[in-house]
Amino acid sequence: MPVRKDASGRRSVQAEVEVPGNPEEVWEAIATGPGISSWFVPSEVEEREGGTTVSHFGPGSSMDSIAKITAWDPPRRFTAESPEDMGPGAPAVATEWIVEAQSGGTCVVRVVHSWFASTDDWDKQFEGHEHGWVAFFRLLRLYLAHFRGRPCVPFQVMGAGAAPVATTWDALVGPLGLASAAAGQRVSTAAGAPPLAGVVERVGSSEHPELLLRLEEPAPGIAHLFALPMAGRVFLPIRVYLYGDEAKPAAARAEPSWQAWMAERFPAQ
């Protein structure tokens, strides 16, 4: 969807998804720290107008996104504003979350990013935000459908290689034994790889490689593997969300194993 512009200089992009659950259940998933951490990135939320939200996109404070809550109306709507969230010189961004109840026990979740600018300098980056939400919303829908309200322990590992995307992606999924995975198929990782088993929920296109798995091993959960071309490199994030009483010990075993496996195949350069 292109950037929307009005005469005042306000610009916006938005994305939405229909998810299972009533407004209170969906609000818990999108407006609390434990809820957001269960399908997005580790986050904290001060649940009030004037409170602060912090989203941790990587190690170190430089990877944190910090915003101030300017509107708080549970379980329907909240807005948070962040200055220069896109980098030095970027306009301040207001992010609005809206929950709309639908018939049949579902809700529509809508996220709207808006900013004021007199030029098109930032439009492409904000359009990228919209596409990013589409991917994360698949995780939100899967979480609410299968793991709603269960305690979560997330972790992420990362590898990187050289372009082209297809070559680096094959270097990941080939040794994992997942190169021929198909939607609906039950899969497990190959011998020598960290144990991961479950059902394939989604396979991305060759232009945007991606695997979304609903896990049974190492614990009930979700795994999201994808390729991200950036700055002449191809990054390979693997996000794992484990749920329930088994989650904490399973994550404590699995994360070091994945870190070692990725470091061996994609050494830092």
Side-chain angles (χ1 to χ4, degrees):
M1 182 182 297
V3 172
R4 299 180 179 181
K5 309 172 187 178
D6 64 28
S8 70
R10 181 182 181 272
R11 296 163 182 251
S12 65
V13 293
Q14 70 176 45
E16 66 179 48
V17 63
E18 187 169 358
V19 296
N22 62 42
E24 290 75 18
E25 292 168 329
V26 174
W27 182 265
E28 181 74 17
I30 68 162
T32 71
I36 297 168
S37 302
S38 297
W39 60 274
F40 187 46
V41 299
S43 301
E44 296 92 41
V45 179
E46 294 179 340
E47 300 174 32
R48 60 179 176 83
E49 186 173 339
T52 298
T53 72
V54 183
S55 299
H56 306 284
F57 286 91
S61 59
S62 64
M63 298 292 287
D64 290 351
S65 174
I66 302 173
K68 181 178 180 180
I69 297 173
T70 57
W72 185 259
D73 181 22
R76 292 178 290 274
R77 171 183 172 271
F78 79 94
T79 303
E81 293 187 1
S82 52
E84 297 190 348
D85 206 24
M86 300 288 288
V93 183
T95 301
E96 182 180 28
W97 289 82
I98 301 164
V99 178
E100 296 178 349
Q102 308 293 298
S103 61
T106 67
C107 290
V108 167
V109 175
R110 182 177 299 110
V111 60
V112 182
H113 296 291
S114 60
W115 68 101
F116 286 88
S118 58
T119 70
D120 299 336
D121 292 351
W122 299 94
D123 288 9
K124 289 294 183 185
Q125 292 190 54
F126 282 103
E127 287 174 354
H129 266 29
E130 176 197 350
H131 296 302
W133 281 120
V134 171
F136 273 115
F137 280 167
R138 296 188 190 107
L139 276 68
L140 173 61
R141 187 190 297 116
L142 197 57
Y143 163 68
L144 285 167
H146 297 280
F147 307 108
R148 183 189 315 166
R150 299 176 69 178
C152 176
V153 179
F155 68 87
Q156 176 176 299
V157 297
M158 177 85 75
V165 170
T167 301
T168 299
W169 179 250
D170 289 345
L172 174 66
V173 295
L176 288 176
L178 300 176
S180 59
Q185 180 183 8
R186 192 172 298 276
V187 298
S188 59
T189 48
L196 203 70
V199 175
V200 180
E201 293 283 340
R202 174 181 168 81
V203 177
S205 66
S206 58
E207 293 82 9
H208 302 284
E210 175 189 14
L211 280 176
L212 180 59
L213 310 177
R214 176 162 48 89
L215 299 178
E216 301 161 355
E217 187 182 354
I222 298 169
H224 187 215
L225 299 73
F226 60 101
L228 179 65
M230 186 168 56
R233 302 274 287 162
V234 180
F235 293 88
L236 299 168
I238 300 178
R239 295 190 175 110
V240 179
Y241 308 81
L242 302 180
Y243 304 101
D245 295 337
E246 305 170 52
K248 190 172 182 178
R253 294 189 301 267
E255 184 174 4
S257 177
W258 276 104
Q259 294 284 8
W261 192 89
M262 292 291 279
E264 180 182 346
R265 282 154 185 80
F266 302 96
Q269 297 182 6

